[in-house]
Coordinates of all heavy atoms in Angstrom, one line a residue:
M1 N 0.8 -1.2 0.0 CA 0.0 0.0 0.0 C 0.9 1.2 0.0 O 1.8 1.3 0.8 CB -0.9 0.0 1.2 CG -1.8 1.1 1.4 SD -3.0 0.8 2.7 CE -4.1 2.1 2.3
S2 N 0.6 2.2 -0.8 CA 1.4 3.4 -1.0 C 1.3 4.4 0.1 O 2.2 5.1 0.4 CB 1.2 4.0 -2.4 OG -0.1 4.4 -2.5
S3 N 0.1 4.6 0.6 CA -0.1 5.6 1.7 C -0.8 4.9 2.9 O -1.5 3.9 2.8 CB -1.0 6.7 1.1 OG -2.3 6.2 0.8
A4 N -0.5 5.5 4.0 CA -1.1 5.0 5.3 C -2.5 5.3 5.4 O -3.0 6.3 4.9 CB -0.3 5.6 6.5
V5 N -3.2 4.4 6.1 CA -4.6 4.6 6.4 C -4.7 5.8 7.4 O -4.0 5.8 8.4 CB -5.2 3.3 7.0 CG1 -6.6 3.5 7.5 CG2 -5.2 2.2 6.0
Q6 N -5.6 6.7 7.2 CA -5.9 7.8 8.1 C -7.0 7.5 9.0 O -8.1 7.2 8.6 CB -6.2 9.1 7.3 CG -5.0 9.5 6.4 CD -3.8 9.9 7.2 OE1 -3.8 10.6 8.2 NE2 -2.6 9.4 6.8
I7 N -6.7 7.5 10.3 CA -7.8 7.2 11.3 C -7.9 8.4 12.2 O -7.0 8.9 12.8 CB -7.3 6.0 12.2 CG1 -7.2 4.7 11.2 CG2 -8.3 5.7 13.3 CD1 -6.6 3.5 11.9
Q8 N -9.2 8.8 12.4 CA -9.5 10.0 13.3 C -10.3 9.5 14.4 O -11.4 8.8 14.2 CB -10.2 11.1 12.5 CG -9.4 11.7 11.4 CD -10.2 12.6 10.5 OE1 -11.4 12.5 10.3 NE2 -9.5 13.7 10.1
V9 N -9.9 9.8 15.6 CA -10.5 9.4 16.9 C -11.2 10.6 17.5 O -10.6 11.7 17.6 CB -9.5 8.8 17.8 CG1 -10.1 8.4 19.1 CG2 -8.8 7.6 17.2
A10 N -12.4 10.4 18.0 CA -13.2 11.5 18.6 C -12.8 11.9 20.0 O -13.5 12.7 20.6 CB -14.7 11.1 18.6
D11 N -11.7 11.4 20.5 CA -11.2 11.7 21.8 C -9.7 11.7 21.8 O -9.1 11.5 20.8 CB -11.8 10.7 22.9 CG -11.9 11.3 24.2 OD1 -11.2 12.3 24.6 OD2 -12.8 10.8 25.0
S12 N -9.1 11.9 23.0 CA -7.6 11.9 23.1 C -7.0 10.5 23.3 O -5.8 10.4 23.3 CB -7.2 12.8 24.3 OG -7.7 12.3 25.5
H13 N -7.9 9.6 23.4 CA -7.5 8.2 23.5 C -8.6 7.3 23.1 O -9.8 7.7 22.9 CB -7.1 7.9 25.0 CG -8.2 8.1 26.0 ND1 -8.6 9.3 26.4 CD2 -8.9 7.2 26.6 CE1 -9.6 9.2 27.2 NE2 -9.8 7.9 27.4
L14 N -8.3 6.0 22.9 CA -9.3 5.0 22.5 C -9.9 4.3 23.8 O -9.1 4.1 24.8 CB -8.7 3.9 21.6 CG -8.3 4.5 20.2 CD1 -7.4 3.5 19.5 CD2 -9.6 4.7 19.4
Y15 N -11.1 3.9 23.7 CA -11.8 3.2 24.8 C -13.0 2.5 24.2 O -13.5 2.9 23.1 CB -12.2 4.1 26.0 CG -12.9 5.3 25.5 CD1 -14.3 5.3 25.4 CD2 -12.3 6.5 25.2 CE1 -15.0 6.4 24.9 CE2 -13.0 7.6 24.7 CZ -14.3 7.6 24.6 OH -15.0 8.7 24.2
P16 N -13.6 1.5 24.9 CA -14.8 0.9 24.3 C -15.9 1.9 24.1 O -16.2 2.7 25.0 CB -15.2 -0.2 25.4 CG -13.9 -0.5 26.0 CD -13.1 0.8 26.0
G17 N -16.5 1.9 23.0 CA -17.6 2.8 22.6 C -17.1 4.1 21.9 O -17.9 4.8 21.3
C18 N -15.8 4.3 21.9 CA -15.3 5.5 21.2 C -15.5 5.5 19.7 O -15.4 4.5 19.1 CB -13.8 5.6 21.5 SG -13.0 7.0 20.8
A19 N -15.9 6.6 19.1 CA -16.2 6.8 17.7 C -14.9 7.0 17.0 O -14.0 7.7 17.4 CB -17.1 7.9 17.4
V20 N -14.8 6.3 15.8 CA -13.6 6.4 15.0 C -14.0 6.6 13.5 O -14.9 5.9 13.1 CB -12.7 5.1 15.1 CG1 -11.5 5.1 14.2 CG2 -12.3 4.9 16.6
R21 N -13.3 7.4 12.8 CA -13.5 7.6 11.3 C -12.3 7.1 10.6 O -11.1 7.4 11.0 CB -13.8 9.1 11.0 CG -14.9 9.7 11.6 CD -16.2 9.7 10.9 NE -16.1 10.1 9.5 CZ -17.0 9.7 8.6 NH1 -17.9 8.8 8.9 NH2 -16.9 10.1 7.4
I22 N -12.4 6.3 9.5 CA -11.3 5.8 8.8 C -11.4 6.1 7.3 O -12.5 5.8 6.7 CB -11.2 4.3 9.0 CG1 -11.1 3.9 10.5 CG2 -10.0 3.7 8.2 CD1 -11.1 2.4 10.8
A23 N -10.4 6.6 6.8 CA -10.3 6.9 5.3 C -9.3 6.0 4.7 O -8.3 5.5 5.4 CB -9.9 8.3 5.1
N24 N -9.5 5.6 3.5 CA -8.5 4.8 2.7 C -8.3 3.4 3.2 O -7.2 2.9 3.1 CB -7.2 5.5 2.6 CG -7.3 6.9 2.0 OD1 -8.1 7.2 1.2 ND2 -6.4 7.8 2.6
L25 N -9.3 2.8 3.8 CA -9.2 1.5 4.3 C -9.1 0.5 3.2 O -10.0 0.5 2.3 CB -10.3 1.1 5.3 CG -10.2 -0.2 6.0 CD1 -9.0 -0.1 7.0 CD2 -11.5 -0.4 6.9
P26 N -8.1 -0.4 3.1 CA -8.1 -1.4 2.0 C -9.3 -2.3 2.0 O -9.9 -2.6 3.0 CB -6.8 -2.2 2.3 CG -6.0 -1.4 3.3 CD -7.0 -0.5 4.0
E27 N -9.7 -2.7 0.8 CA -10.8 -3.6 0.7 C -10.5 -4.9 1.4 O -9.4 -5.4 1.4 CB -11.1 -3.9 -0.8 CG -11.6 -2.7 -1.6 CD -12.9 -2.2 -1.1 OE1 -13.8 -3.1 -0.8 OE2 -13.1 -1.0 -1.0
P28 N -11.6 -5.6 1.9 CA -11.4 -6.9 2.6 C -10.7 -7.9 1.7 O -10.1 -8.8 2.2 CB -12.8 -7.3 3.0 CG -13.6 -6.0 3.0 CD -12.9 -5.1 2.0
A29 N -10.9 -7.9 0.4 CA -10.3 -8.9 -0.5 C -8.8 -8.7 -0.7 O -8.2 -9.5 -1.4 CB -11.0 -8.8 -1.8
C30 N -8.2 -7.6 -0.1 CA -6.8 -7.4 -0.3 C -6.0 -8.6 0.2 O -6.4 -9.2 1.2 CB -6.4 -6.1 0.6 SG -5.4 -5.0 -0.3
A31 N -4.9 -8.9 -0.4 CA -4.1 -10.1 -0.1 C -3.7 -10.2 1.4 O -4.0 -11.2 2.0 CB -2.9 -10.2 -1.0
S32 N -3.1 -9.2 1.9 CA -2.6 -9.3 3.3 C -3.6 -8.8 4.3 O -3.6 -9.2 5.5 CB -1.3 -8.5 3.5 OG -1.6 -7.1 3.4
N33 N -4.5 -7.8 4.0 CA -5.5 -7.2 4.9 C -4.8 -6.5 6.0 O -5.5 -6.2 7.0 CB -6.5 -8.3 5.4 CG -7.5 -8.7 4.4 OD1 -7.8 -8.0 3.5 ND2 -8.0 -9.9 4.6
V34 N -3.6 -6.2 5.9 CA -2.8 -5.5 7.0 C -2.3 -4.2 6.3 O -1.8 -4.2 5.2 CB -1.6 -6.3 7.5 CG1 -0.8 -5.4 8.5 CG2 -2.1 -7.6 8.1
A35 N -2.5 -3.1 7.1 CA -2.1 -1.8 6.5 C -1.5 -0.9 7.6 O -1.8 -1.0 8.8 CB -3.2 -1.0 5.9
E36 N -0.5 -0.1 7.3 CA 0.1 0.9 8.2 C -1.0 2.0 8.3 O -1.7 2.3 7.4 CB 1.4 1.5 7.6 CG 2.5 0.5 7.5 CD 2.9 0.0 8.9 OE1 3.1 0.8 9.8 OE2 3.2 -1.2 9.0
A37 N -1.0 2.6 9.5 CA -2.0 3.6 9.8 C -1.4 4.8 10.6 O -0.4 4.6 11.3 CB -3.2 3.0 10.5
R38 N -2.0 5.9 10.4 CA -1.7 7.1 11.2 C -3.0 7.5 12.0 O -4.0 7.8 11.4 CB -1.2 8.2 10.4 CG -0.9 9.5 11.1 CD 0.4 9.4 11.9 NE 0.6 10.6 12.6 CZ 1.2 10.7 13.8 NH1 1.8 9.6 14.3 NH2 1.4 11.8 14.4
V39 N -2.9 7.4 13.3 CA -4.1 7.8 14.2 C -4.0 9.2 14.6 O -2.9 9.6 15.1 CB -4.2 6.8 15.4 CG1 -5.4 7.2 16.2 CG2 -4.2 5.4 14.9
E40 N -5.0 10.0 14.4 CA -5.1 11.4 14.8 C -6.2 11.5 15.9 O -7.3 11.2 15.6 CB -5.4 12.3 13.6 CG -4.3 12.2 12.6 CD -4.7 13.0 11.3 OE1 -5.8 13.5 11.2 OE2 -3.9 13.0 10.4
F41 N -5.8 12.0 17.0 CA -6.7 12.1 18.1 C -7.3 13.5 18.2 O -6.7 14.5 17.7 CB -6.0 11.7 19.5 CG -5.6 10.3 19.5 CD1 -4.3 9.9 19.1 CD2 -6.5 9.3 19.9 CE1 -3.9 8.6 19.2 CE2 -6.1 8.0 19.9 CZ -4.8 7.6 19.6
A42 N -8.4 13.7 18.8 CA -9.2 14.9 18.8 C -8.4 16.1 19.5 O -8.6 17.2 19.2 CB -10.5 14.8 19.6
D43 N -7.4 15.7 20.4 CA -6.6 16.8 21.0 C -5.4 17.2 20.2 O -4.7 18.0 20.7 CB -6.2 16.3 22.4 CG -5.2 15.2 22.4 OD1 -4.9 14.6 21.3 OD2 -4.6 14.9 23.5
G44 N -5.3 16.7 19.0 CA -4.1 17.0 18.2 C -3.0 16.1 18.3 O -2.0 16.2 17.5
S45 N -3.0 15.1 19.2 CA -1.9 14.2 19.3 C -2.1 13.1 18.2 O -3.1 13.0 17.6 CB -1.8 13.5 20.7 OG -3.1 12.9 21.0
G46 N -1.0 12.3 18.0 CA -1.1 11.3 17.0 C -0.2 10.1 17.3 O 0.6 10.2 18.2
A47 N -0.4 9.0 16.6 CA 0.3 7.8 16.8 C 0.4 6.9 15.6 O -0.5 7.0 14.7 CB -0.3 7.0 18.0
H48 N 1.4 6.2 15.5 CA 1.5 5.2 14.4 C 0.8 3.9 14.8 O 0.7 3.6 16.0 CB 3.0 4.8 14.1 CG 3.7 6.0 13.5 ND1 3.6 6.4 12.2 CD2 4.6 6.8 14.1 CE1 4.4 7.4 12.0 NE2 5.0 7.7 13.1
A49 N 0.2 3.2 13.8 CA -0.6 2.0 14.1 C -0.5 1.1 12.9 O -0.1 1.4 11.9 CB -2.0 2.4 14.5
T50 N -1.0 -0.1 13.2 CA -1.3 -1.0 12.1 C -2.7 -1.5 12.2 O -3.3 -1.6 13.4 CB -0.4 -2.3 12.1 OG1 -0.4 -2.9 13.3 CG2 1.1 -1.9 11.8
C51 N -3.4 -1.8 11.1 CA -4.7 -2.3 11.2 C -4.8 -3.6 10.3 O -4.2 -3.7 9.3 CB -5.8 -1.3 10.8 SG -5.5 -0.5 9.2
H52 N -5.7 -4.5 10.8 CA -5.8 -5.8 10.2 C -7.3 -6.1 10.1 O -8.0 -6.1 11.1 CB -5.1 -6.8 11.0 CG -5.3 -8.2 10.5 ND1 -6.2 -9.1 11.1 CD2 -4.7 -8.9 9.6 CE1 -6.2 -10.2 10.5 NE2 -5.3 -10.2 9.5
R53 N -7.8 -6.4 8.9 CA -9.2 -6.8 8.7 C -9.4 -8.2 9.2 O -8.8 -9.1 8.6 CB -9.6 -6.7 7.3 CG -9.8 -5.3 6.7 CD -10.9 -4.5 7.4 NE -12.2 -4.6 6.8 CZ -12.7 -3.8 5.8 NH1 -11.9 -2.9 5.2 NH2 -13.9 -4.0 5.4
R54 N -10.2 -8.4 10.3 CA -10.5 -9.8 10.7 C -11.6 -10.3 9.9 O -11.7 -11.5 9.7 CB -10.9 -9.7 12.2 CG -9.7 -9.5 13.1 CD -10.0 -9.3 14.5 NE -11.0 -10.2 15.1 CZ -11.0 -10.6 16.3 NH1 -10.1 -10.2 17.2 NH2 -12.0 -11.4 16.8
A55 N -12.6 -9.5 9.6 CA -13.8 -9.9 8.9 C -14.3 -8.6 8.2 O -13.7 -7.5 8.4 CB -14.9 -10.4 9.8
H56 N -15.3 -8.7 7.4 CA -15.8 -7.6 6.6 C -16.1 -6.3 7.5 O -15.8 -5.2 7.1 CB -17.0 -8.0 5.8 CG -17.6 -6.9 5.0 ND1 -16.9 -6.4 3.9 CD2 -18.7 -6.1 5.0 CE1 -17.5 -5.5 3.3 NE2 -18.6 -5.3 4.0
D57 N -16.7 -6.6 8.7 CA -17.1 -5.5 9.6 C -16.2 -5.4 10.9 O -16.6 -4.7 11.8 CB -18.6 -5.6 10.0 CG -19.5 -5.3 8.8 OD1 -19.0 -4.7 7.8 OD2 -20.6 -5.8 8.8
E58 N -15.1 -6.1 10.9 CA -14.3 -6.1 12.1 C -12.8 -5.7 11.7 O -12.3 -6.2 10.7 CB -14.2 -7.5 12.8 CG -15.5 -7.9 13.5 CD -15.3 -9.2 14.2 OE1 -14.4 -10.0 13.9 OE2 -16.1 -9.5 15.1
L59 N -12.2 -4.9 12.6 CA -10.9 -4.5 12.3 C -10.1 -4.5 13.6 O -10.6 -4.1 14.7 CB -10.9 -3.0 11.8 CG -9.6 -2.3 11.5 CD1 -9.0 -2.9 10.3 CD2 -9.9 -0.8 11.4
E60 N -8.9 -5.1 13.6 CA -8.0 -5.0 14.7 C -7.1 -3.8 14.5 O -6.5 -3.7 13.4 CB -7.1 -6.3 14.8 CG -7.8 -7.5 15.3 CD -6.8 -8.7 15.4 OE1 -5.7 -8.5 15.8 OE2 -7.3 -9.8 15.0
L61 N -6.9 -3.0 15.5 CA -6.1 -1.9 15.5 C -5.0 -1.9 16.6 O -5.4 -2.0 17.8 CB -6.9 -0.6 15.6 CG -6.2 0.7 15.5 CD1 -5.6 0.9 14.1 CD2 -7.1 1.9 15.9
T62 N -3.8 -1.9 16.2 CA -2.7 -1.9 17.2 C -2.0 -0.5 17.1 O -1.5 -0.1 16.1 CB -1.6 -3.0 16.9 OG1 -2.3 -4.3 16.8 CG2 -0.5 -3.0 17.9
V63 N -2.2 0.2 18.2 CA -1.7 1.6 18.3 C -0.4 1.6 19.1 O -0.4 1.1 20.2 CB -2.7 2.5 18.9 CG1 -2.2 4.0 19.0 CG2 -4.0 2.5 18.1
E64 N 0.7 2.2 18.6 CA 1.9 2.3 19.3 C 1.8 3.3 20.4 O 0.9 4.2 20.5 CB 3.0 2.8 18.3 CG 3.3 1.8 17.3 CD 4.4 2.2 16.3 OE1 5.1 3.3 16.6 OE2 4.6 1.5 15.3
R65 N 2.7 3.3 21.4 CA 2.8 4.2 22.5 C 2.8 5.7 22.0 O 3.5 6.0 21.0 CB 4.0 3.9 23.3 CG 4.2 4.8 24.6 CD 5.4 4.3 25.3 NE 5.7 5.3 26.4 CZ 5.2 5.3 27.6 NH1 4.3 4.4 27.9 NH2 5.5 6.2 28.5
Y66 N 2.1 6.6 22.7 CA 2.1 8.0 22.3 C 1.8 8.8 23.6 O 1.5 8.2 24.6 CB 1.1 8.3 21.2 CG -0.3 8.2 21.6 CD1 -1.0 9.4 22.0 CD2 -1.0 7.0 21.8 CE1 -2.4 9.3 22.4 CE2 -2.3 6.9 22.2 CZ -3.0 8.1 22.5 OH -4.3 8.1 22.9
A67 N 1.8 10.1 23.5 CA 1.5 11.0 24.6 C 0.4 12.0 24.1 O 0.5 12.4 22.9 CB 2.7 11.8 25.0
T68 N -0.6 12.2 24.9 CA -1.6 13.2 24.6 C -1.0 14.6 24.6 O 0.1 14.8 25.0 CB -2.8 13.1 25.6 OG1 -2.3 13.6 26.9 CG2 -3.4 11.7 25.7
Q69 N -1.8 15.6 24.1 CA -1.3 16.9 24.1 C -1.0 17.4 25.5 O -0.1 18.3 25.7 CB -2.3 17.9 23.4 CG -2.4 17.8 21.9 CD -1.1 18.3 21.3 OE1 -0.1 17.6 21.3 NE2 -1.2 19.4 20.7
K70 N -1.6 16.9 26.5 CA -1.3 17.3 27.9 C -0.2 16.4 28.5 O 0.0 16.4 29.7 CB -2.6 17.1 28.8 CG -3.7 18.1 28.4 CD -4.8 18.0 29.3 CE -5.9 19.0 29.0 NZ -7.1 18.9 29.9
R71 N 0.5 15.7 27.6 CA 1.7 14.9 27.9 C 1.4 13.7 28.8 O 2.3 13.2 29.5 CB 2.8 15.8 28.5 CG 3.2 16.8 27.5 CD 4.3 17.7 28.0 NE 4.5 18.8 27.1 CZ 5.6 19.4 26.9 NH1 6.6 19.1 27.6 NH2 5.7 20.3 26.0
H72 N 0.2 13.2 28.7 CA -0.2 12.0 29.5 C 0.2 10.8 28.6 O -0.2 10.7 27.5 CB -1.7 12.0 29.7 CG -2.1 10.7 30.4 ND1 -1.9 10.5 31.8 CD2 -2.7 9.6 30.0 CE1 -2.4 9.3 32.1 NE2 -2.9 8.8 31.0
P73 N 1.1 9.9 29.1 CA 1.6 8.8 28.3 C 0.5 7.7 28.1 O -0.2 7.4 29.1 CB 2.8 8.3 29.0 CG 2.6 8.7 30.4 CD 1.8 10.0 30.4
I74 N 0.3 7.2 26.9 CA -0.6 6.1 26.7 C 0.2 5.0 26.1 O 0.9 5.1 25.1 CB -1.7 6.6 25.6 CG1 -2.4 7.8 26.1 CG2 -2.6 5.4 25.3 CD1 -3.3 7.7 27.2
D75 N 0.2 3.8 26.8 CA 0.9 2.7 26.3 C 0.3 2.1 25.1 O -0.8 2.3 24.7 CB 0.9 1.6 27.4 CG 1.7 1.9 28.6 OD1 2.7 2.7 28.5 OD2 1.4 1.5 29.7
A76 N 1.1 1.3 24.4 CA 0.7 0.6 23.1 C -0.5 -0.3 23.5 O -0.4 -0.9 24.6 CB 1.8 -0.2 22.5
R77 N -1.5 -0.3 22.6 CA -2.7 -1.1 22.9 C -3.2 -1.7 21.6 O -3.0 -1.2 20.5 CB -3.7 -0.3 23.6 CG -3.3 0.2 25.0 CD -4.4 0.3 25.9 NE -3.8 0.5 27.3 CZ -4.0 1.6 28.0 NH1 -4.7 2.7 27.5 NH2 -3.5 1.8 29.2
H78 N -4.0 -2.8 21.8 CA -4.6 -3.5 20.7 C -6.1 -3.5 20.9 O -6.6 -3.8 21.9 CB -4.0 -4.9 20.8 CG -4.3 -5.8 19.6 ND1 -3.4 -6.8 19.3 CD2 -5.2 -5.8 18.7 CE1 -3.9 -7.4 18.3 NE2 -4.9 -6.8 17.8
W79 N -6.8 -3.1 19.8 CA -8.3 -2.9 19.9 C -9.0 -3.6 18.9 O -8.5 -3.8 17.8 CB -8.6 -1.4 19.8 CG -7.9 -0.5 20.8 CD1 -6.8 0.1 20.7 CD2 -8.4 -0.3 22.1 NE1 -6.5 0.8 21.9 CE2 -7.5 0.6 22.7 CE3 -9.6 -0.6 22.8 CZ2 -7.7 1.1 24.0 CZ3 -9.7 -0.2 24.1 CH2 -8.8 0.7 24.7
L80 N -10.3 -4.0 19.1 CA -11.2 -4.5 18.2 C -12.2 -3.4 17.8 O -12.9 -2.9 18.7 CB -11.9 -5.7 18.7 CG -13.0 -6.3 17.8 CD1 -12.4 -6.8 16.5 CD2 -13.7 -7.4 18.5
L81 N -12.4 -3.1 16.5 CA -13.3 -2.1 16.1 C -14.4 -2.8 15.2 O -14.1 -3.7 14.5 CB -12.6 -1.0 15.3 CG -11.9 0.1 16.0 CD1 -10.7 -0.5 16.7 CD2 -11.4 1.1 15.0
L82 N -15.6 -2.3 15.3 CA -16.7 -2.7 14.5 C -17.2 -1.6 13.6 O -17.4 -0.5 14.1 CB -17.8 -3.3 15.4 CG -17.5 -4.5 16.3 CD1 -18.7 -4.8 17.1 CD2 -17.0 -5.7 15.5
A83 N -17.6 -1.9 12.4 CA -18.1 -0.9 11.5 C -19.5 -0.5 11.9 O -20.3 -1.3 12.3 CB -18.2 -1.5 10.0
V84 N -19.8 0.8 11.8 CA -21.1 1.3 12.2 C -22.0 1.5 10.9 O -23.2 1.4 11.0 CB -20.9 2.7 12.9 CG1 -22.2 3.3 13.2 CG2 -20.1 2.5 14.2
D85 N -21.3 1.8 9.8 CA -22.1 2.0 8.6 C -21.6 1.1 7.4 O -20.5 0.5 7.5 CB -22.1 3.5 8.2 CG -20.7 4.0 7.8 OD1 -19.7 3.2 7.8 OD2 -20.5 5.2 7.7
A86 N -22.4 1.0 6.4 CA -22.1 0.2 5.3 C -20.9 0.7 4.5 O -20.2 -0.1 3.8 CB -23.3 0.0 4.4
T87 N -20.6 1.9 4.6 CA -19.4 2.5 3.8 C -18.1 2.2 4.5 O -17.1 2.4 3.9 CB -19.6 4.0 3.6 OG1 -19.5 4.6 4.9 CG2 -20.9 4.4 2.9
H88 N -18.1 1.7 5.7 CA -16.9 1.5 6.5 C -16.0 2.7 6.7 O -14.8 2.6 6.8 CB -16.1 0.3 5.8 CG -16.8 -1.0 5.9 ND1 -17.5 -1.5 4.9 CD2 -17.0 -1.9 6.9 CE1 -18.1 -2.6 5.2 NE2 -17.8 -2.9 6.4
H89 N -16.7 3.8 6.9 CA -16.0 5.1 7.2 C -16.2 5.3 8.7 O -15.3 5.9 9.4 CB -16.5 6.3 6.4 CG -16.2 6.2 5.0 ND1 -14.9 6.4 4.5 CD2 -16.9 5.9 3.9 CE1 -14.9 6.3 3.2 NE2 -16.1 6.0 2.8
S90 N -17.3 4.9 9.3 CA -17.5 5.1 10.7 C -17.4 3.8 11.5 O -18.0 2.8 11.0 CB -19.0 5.6 10.9 OG -19.1 6.9 10.4
W91 N -16.7 3.8 12.6 CA -16.4 2.6 13.3 C -16.6 2.9 14.8 O -16.6 4.1 15.2 CB -15.0 2.1 13.1 CG -14.7 1.7 11.7 CD1 -14.5 2.5 10.6 CD2 -14.6 0.3 11.3 NE1 -14.3 1.7 9.5 CE2 -14.3 0.4 9.9 CE3 -14.7 -0.9 11.9 CZ2 -14.1 -0.7 9.1 CZ3 -14.5 -2.0 11.1 CH2 -14.2 -2.0 9.7
R92 N -16.7 1.9 15.7 CA -16.7 2.1 17.1 C -15.8 1.0 17.7 O -15.7 -0.1 17.2 CB -18.1 1.8 17.7 CG -19.1 2.9 17.4 CD -19.6 3.4 18.8 NE -20.6 4.4 18.4 CZ -20.4 5.7 18.6 NH1 -19.3 6.2 19.2 NH2 -21.3 6.6 18.2
V93 N -15.1 1.4 18.8 CA -14.2 0.5 19.5 C -15.1 -0.4 20.3 O -16.0 0.0 21.1 CB -13.3 1.3 20.4 CG1 -12.5 0.3 21.2 CG2 -12.4 2.2 19.7
K94 N -15.0 -1.7 20.0 CA -15.8 -2.7 20.8 C -15.2 -3.1 22.1 O -15.8 -3.0 23.1 CB -16.0 -4.0 20.0 CG -16.9 -5.0 20.7 CD -17.3 -6.1 19.9 CE -18.2 -7.0 20.8 NZ -18.7 -8.1 20.1
R95 N -13.9 -3.4 22.0 CA -13.1 -3.8 23.2 C -11.7 -3.8 23.0 O -11.2 -3.8 21.9 CB -13.6 -5.2 23.7 CG -13.3 -6.3 22.8 CD -13.8 -7.6 23.3 NE -13.8 -8.6 22.3 CZ -12.9 -9.5 22.1 NH1 -11.8 -9.5 22.8 NH2 -12.9 -10.4 21.1
R96 N -10.9 -3.8 24.1 CA -9.5 -4.0 24.1 C -9.1 -5.4 23.9 O -9.8 -6.3 24.5 CB -8.9 -3.4 25.4 CG -7.4 -3.3 25.3 CD -6.9 -2.5 26.5 NE -5.5 -2.7 26.7 CZ -4.8 -2.4 27.7 NH1 -5.4 -1.9 28.7 NH2 -3.5 -2.6 27.8
L97 N -8.2 -5.7 23.1 CA -7.7 -7.1 22.9 C -6.4 -7.3 23.7 O -5.7 -6.4 23.9 CB -7.4 -7.3 21.4 CG -8.6 -7.2 20.5 CD1 -8.2 -7.3 19.0 CD2 -9.6 -8.3 20.8
P98 N -6.2 -8.6 24.0 CA -4.9 -8.9 24.8 C -3.7 -8.7 23.9 O -3.7 -8.6 22.8 CB -5.1 -10.3 25.2 CG -6.2 -10.9 24.4 CD -7.0 -9.7 23.8

């Protein structure tokens, strides 16, 4: 993939129920279903991540360690996201994965 997936989070961190917008998500039929991503949080902070399509409406998101704009450190975490709409632009965090 030539460009990273752009992910916008409606808060300064991810948590179950959090709204997420995703642009340029590879189609589920893509060979690897894994893509590099750039996560942009509502407070202006950002993090590198990878996303993996588990199923048509499920996405695993692994976000690297980052700091919020208020310098609060957030450890690397792994999340399960579910699609909210048929266009796969709106997602919600379902739960944290081990």
Side-chain angles (χ1 to χ4, degrees):
M1 180 172 193
S2 60
S3 62
V5 173
Q6 297 296 313
I7 300 174
Q8 296 176 321
V9 179
D11 208 333
S12 62
H13 61 284
L14 292 164
Y15 52 86
C18 183
V20 176
R21 302 266 311 152
I22 303 177
N24 307 324
L25 188 62
E27 291 297 319
C30 226
S32 70
N33 286 335
V34 176
E36 293 296 317
R38 178 73 184 152
V39 182
E40 298 173 359
F41 295 94
D43 69 347
S45 59
H48 292 285
T50 56
C51 52
H52 174 262
R53 287 294 272 271
R54 287 173 44 150
H56 183 67
D57 291 338
E58 289 186 340
L59 180 72
E60 285 183 40
L61 181 65
T62 303
V63 181
E64 294 179 9
R65 181 179 169 85
Y66 72 99
T68 65
Q69 284 294 73
K70 293 184 178 180
R71 299 182 187 206
H72 178 76
I74 305 291
D75 289 333
R77 297 214 169 113
H78 193 154
W79 300 95
L80 175 63
L81 282 64
L82 298 179
V84 174
D85 63 8
T87 64
H88 293 98
H89 291 286
S90 296
W91 296 75
R92 286 241 183 249
V93 176
K94 179 171 182 175
R95 65 184 165 91
R96 190 170 162 195
L97 297 171

